[in-house]
Amino acid sequence: MQVSQSVLVFLCRRMALHLRKCFLHPVRSRLVLPPQRIKSLYTTFDGFDEDEIREKLQRFPGGSVDLSKQTSGIAVLTVNNPGRMNAFTGTMMGELKDRVDELEQWTDGKGLIVQGAASTFCSGSDLNAVRAISNPQDGMKMCMLMQNTLTRLLRLPLVSVALVEGKALGGGAELTTACDFRLMAPGSEIRFVHKHMGLVPGWGGAARLVRIVGSKNALQLLSTARRVDPDYAASIGLTEEILASSDVSRSLDQAQKWLSDHTKGPSAVIRALKKVVVSGRELPLDEALRTEKEVFGTVWGGPANLEALAQGPKRK
């Protein structure tokens, strides 16, 4: 016996309502990740005072972190300090956190491109700020601020890609790892130069790098401070694609086209996909499965699901 489309849609709506009542209501306060993990790795319980370190960083101004949100659901975040190869000044570190705050509130967003201004990506921290807060206490607080911000960047319910043009050095290399994907323009390089500064990565770049390229490759990149060109990056899985052009406008167009292939469809579905990937990556398996069930319940019987059902069998 065949079931009419109207009956099928009715049944889907009833089942979706049942799922929400059974599964979502008791756990509405725990979406995807525990609230304390969604917002910050470090809080006052860890001795971290964000206002205190931001006040100190404000003494080192310059540059900006710019955000442009498009009607397509793709945003472009630009690290803009070309006079210093887009190095992060103190004020820029605070602005990056503010831009991530804004993206967390952007409910229509689907994708994010992170780039540097003027044909280069980012050369890490501005040395003027680094020298001024070189004592261990303030250095740790700056580390906490940037780890909080970049962790939240990676956890955004947006498919994110770093568009690497020119050089991504030190903290700039770490920033590339805070995106889901990396695209490299011809002639660009990613280089973890921390060893030459007598340091290790402090913005979470080492932990993320291990998850991207494996521990052996990560140790090699960190211990040799090797210049990673696009070909080598592709061979170890650090980049997904080498762009055809290094021209600024053309490479951004290429990145947008590449990302659009990953963000086709309703924002609710794309954001749900990103959420289940984040939970699968960061939570124990049993918690990740429960989260996947909860997120599934938010899209089952939703507009996109019902529209797909009304269109008939799955299409290739």
Side-chain angles (χ1 to χ4, degrees):
M1 182 179 70
Q2 291 186 343
V3 180
S4 68
Q5 282 189 358
S6 60
V7 172
L8 183 61
V9 169
F10 173 76
L11 291 173
C12 287
R13 289 184 185 276
R14 290 295 299 271
M15 187 172 292
L17 181 61
H18 177 71
L19 278 172
R20 290 190 175 96
K21 286 182 177 179
C22 291
F23 300 133
L24 291 182
H25 181 70
V27 291
R28 193 168 297 277
S29 64
R30 182 177 61 86
L31 267 182
V32 184
L33 292 170
Q36 70 271 19
R37 292 186 62 195
I38 292 175
K39 288 299 181 184
S40 298
L41 287 171
Y42 305 107
T43 66
T44 53
F45 292 104
D46 304 292
F48 176 62
D49 186 334
E50 181 181 302
D51 292 336
E52 177 189 358
I53 190 60
R54 285 196 65 167
E55 181 181 350
K56 291 184 178 180
L57 291 171
Q58 291 295 321
R59 303 170 192 169
F60 311 101
S64 62
V65 178
D66 308 321
L67 181 63
S68 172
K69 292 181 287 188
Q70 304 171 1
T71 56
S72 63
I74 293 178
V76 179
L77 186 147
T78 305
V79 183
N80 188 356
N81 189 15
R84 293 186 176 274
M85 291 180 60
N86 298 325
F88 274 93
T89 62
T91 54
M92 288 172 67
M93 292 181 192
E95 285 187 21
L96 179 63
K97 186 264 182 188
D98 294 339
R99 300 292 86 78
V100 172
D101 287 347
E102 187 175 346
L103 287 167
E104 286 177 336
Q105 302 302 316
W106 188 35
T107 57
D108 294 328
K110 297 189 288 183
L112 174 67
I113 297 173
V114 178
Q115 66 171 6
S119 300
T120 197
F121 189 73
C122 174
S123 60
S125 303
D126 179 44
L127 292 182
N128 289 332
V130 170
R131 293 189 187 100
I133 57 172
S134 59
N135 66 81
Q137 293 77 18
D138 286 343
M140 287 288 286
K141 291 172 184 176
M142 181 185 69
C143 168
M144 290 178 175
L145 173 67
M146 293 302 289
Q147 281 196 16
N148 275 353
T149 300
L150 295 184
T151 299
R152 291 169 59 196
L153 174 64
L154 185 57
R155 288 175 176 169
L156 286 171
L158 309 171
V159 181
S160 59
V161 58
L163 171 55
V164 183
E165 301 172 283
K167 298 179 185 297
L169 307 177
E174 295 190 67
L175 177 59
T176 71
T177 68
C179 295
D180 299 313
F181 303 106
R182 283 145 296 282
L183 305 178
M184 295 183 71
S188 63
E189 68 177 65
I190 298 174
R191 191 178 184 193
F192 295 85
V193 296
H194 305 77
K195 184 182 79 166
H196 294 326
M197 300 296 296
L199 295 170
V200 299
W203 296 357
R208 293 188 296 269
L209 184 64
V210 169
R211 286 162 173 75
I212 295 168
V213 302
S215 60
K216 185 182 295 185
N217 285 322
L219 181 58
Q220 183 183 60
L221 297 187
L222 294 174
S223 63
T224 64
R226 172 176 179 163
R227 291 183 176 88
V228 182
D229 63 22
D231 289 333
Y232 184 64
S235 73
I236 63 174
L238 187 56
T239 186
E240 276 62 46
E241 188 166 316
I242 302 171
L243 301 178
S245 174
S246 58
D247 176 80
V248 176
S249 59
R250 290 184 62 189
S251 59
L252 180 57
D253 288 342
Q254 292 172 64
Q256 289 177 323
K257 182 179 184 303
W258 189 92
L259 185 55
S260 68
D261 290 337
H262 293 71
T263 55
K264 288 178 181 176
S267 59
V269 176
I270 304 303
R271 295 167 69 87
L273 290 171
K274 176 63 184 290
K275 288 175 182 177
V276 297
V277 169
V278 170
S279 66
R281 181 181 64 226
E282 300 193 9
L283 297 178
L285 180 59
D286 58 344
E287 292 184 47
L289 291 171
R290 289 179 179 275
T291 299
E292 186 170 319
K293 175 261 296 180
E294 293 162 19
V295 176
F296 174 81
T298 68
V299 291
W300 175 269
N305 180 224
L306 294 178
E307 182 180 351
L309 288 172
Q311 290 176 353
K314 295 179 180 179
R315 296 172 296 175
K316 292 183 179 180

